Amino acid sequence: MVDEALSAGAVARRLGVAVTTLRTWHQRYGLGPSEHIPGHHRRYTPADLARLDIMRRLTAEGVSPAEAARWARQAPDPMPNGTVAPARVHPTGRDGGGSIPVGRAGPAARGLARAAMRLDTAAISETIAHALATSGVVATWEGLLRPVLAGIGERHAATAGLIEVEHLMSRCVSEALAAASRANVPSGPARILLSCADEEQHTLPLEALAAALAEAGVSYRMLGARVPVAALVEAVNRTGPAAVVLWSHTRATADPTQLSALLAAPRRPLLVLAAGPGWRADTLPAGVVRPVDLAEAVSLCAAVRDSLDQSRRD
């Protein structure tokens, strides 16, 4: 638990709730910020944060907000070393449900994972939107979204559950990335073509790349999921992109003949990128590049766009 006082936005991200939820808990149940400096907004202390965390856990488990607030107000203050004393057993007699592992990701990712477990659309969307606005697409994807999505996948693989969590989270992420793309529509012709491999249905990483390209001012076309190789080659011949990014999430969809077909296209792109964990480096045709992460994919696409534009000016 941190020692410094926090703003409402920071507390909301740590807990994985919406700021409007914090306001409601403050107005209705008196669980608000207690530190007040004249001329400044009130801020939340570690004790406030501890009580709000109890409120969050209890309401997520079905305790009424009024009852949860009563228990939260009885919580002890943080101990001198900054930790919080163990909470009393709460009315349901349970210690909370399962959680989504996020590895070494920070408090925002843990808050987002908690919001996802509660199927709290407002908190999920608010957390993602704030991260995109303050940190940008690449940092949000790598430090916030990827860890949570991977954690959901890990839990699903172990338990065969969380399908509803995965679907809701995917929809929220997709909507946020689409909004980011719309907010940064680049000018000029689309030099980059984005496509999933044939039968590949995992599109979120490609949507993240699209949003990151838009943020970097690089125009693109997105074909989306499950693009047959014949349709992909036809799109290349009709549009003449400088680069094609072909995404594969699994080995089952990573057929290298799709890449070979791109290299043999009449209007062969200057750069073919094999993106995603499905591709094996030792099976890629000569001339195909496999970016290590989202940032490198953006950099390569921007570089080939700039190279093509420069050659046309000369």
Side-chain angles (χ1 to χ4, degrees):
M1 197 71 67
V2 295
D3 293 326
E4 74 274 10
L6 299 171
S7 68
V11 170
R13 290 189 295 277
R14 286 175 180 268
L15 296 179
V17 301
V19 171
T20 53
T21 299
L22 292 182
R23 294 196 188 104
T24 299
W25 289 350
H26 182 193
Q27 294 165 1
R28 293 185 181 178
Y29 308 114
L31 295 174
S34 58
E35 180 178 286
H36 180 229
I37 300 174
H40 295 78
H41 290 294
R42 289 183 178 272
R43 298 178 76 82
Y44 291 83
T45 67
D48 298 329
L49 186 58
R51 294 184 180 100
L52 288 168
D53 188 51
I54 293 172
M55 180 74 173
R56 175 194 61 77
R57 287 192 289 108
L58 294 180
T59 54
E61 293 176 24
V63 179
S64 71
E67 181 69 5
R70 185 177 70 81
W71 281 80
R73 286 192 295 268
Q74 297 175 10
D77 287 339
M79 294 183 287
N81 63 359
T83 61
V84 178
R88 305 178 190 185
V89 176
H90 58 70
T92 65
R94 301 192 300 270
D95 61 358
S99 61
I100 297 169
V102 295
R104 297 183 179 181
R110 293 193 291 273
L112 181 60
R114 288 192 287 266
M117 285 294 290
R118 295 197 311 278
L119 302 180
D120 189 338
T121 304
I124 293 170
S125 299
E126 185 175 289
T127 300
I128 298 172
H130 180 273
L132 289 170
T134 58
S135 302
V137 175
V138 172
T140 297
W141 177 257
E142 298 292 356
L144 179 68
L145 301 179
R146 255 187 63 185
V148 175
L149 291 168
I152 294 172
E154 182 180 324
R155 279 288 308 278
H156 173 69
T159 66
L162 298 194
I163 294 176
E164 72 289 353
V165 175
E166 181 180 19
H167 284 201
L168 179 66
M169 182 68 182
S170 296
R171 183 178 65 80
C172 290
V173 172
S174 185
E175 289 177 352
L177 293 173
S181 296
R182 290 192 297 269
N184 298 286
V185 178
S187 59
R191 305 293 193 200
I192 313 300
L193 184 63
L194 309 179
S195 174
C196 283
D198 194 5
E199 297 303 323
E200 178 58 67
Q201 300 186 65
H202 293 80
T203 63
L204 285 184
L206 207 60
E207 293 172 43
L209 176 56
L213 288 173
E215 188 177 64
V218 179
S219 296
Y220 64 88
R221 286 184 178 89
M222 166 78 85
L223 297 184
R226 302 179 67 178
V227 180
V229 64
L232 177 58
V233 171
E234 177 61 21
V236 169
N237 290 334
R238 290 175 62 185
T239 63
V244 175
V245 181
L246 191 59
W247 170 266
S248 170
H249 188 73
T250 65
R251 294 285 173 85
T253 62
D255 183 352
T257 61
Q258 300 170 90
L259 302 168
S260 299
L262 289 172
L263 296 175
R267 299 185 69 180
R268 171 179 171 166
L270 297 176
L271 179 66
V272 174
L273 297 179
W279 302 107
R280 288 176 45 192
D282 59 352
T283 66
L284 300 182
V288 173
V289 178
R290 186 169 182 262
V292 298
D293 54 20
L294 179 60
E296 185 176 35
V298 173
S299 179
L300 289 169
C301 289
V304 74
R305 185 277 313 265
D306 293 343
S307 175
L308 180 61
D309 289 348
Q310 182 62 46
S311 66
R312 292 184 175 182
R313 286 193 296 265
D314 292 343

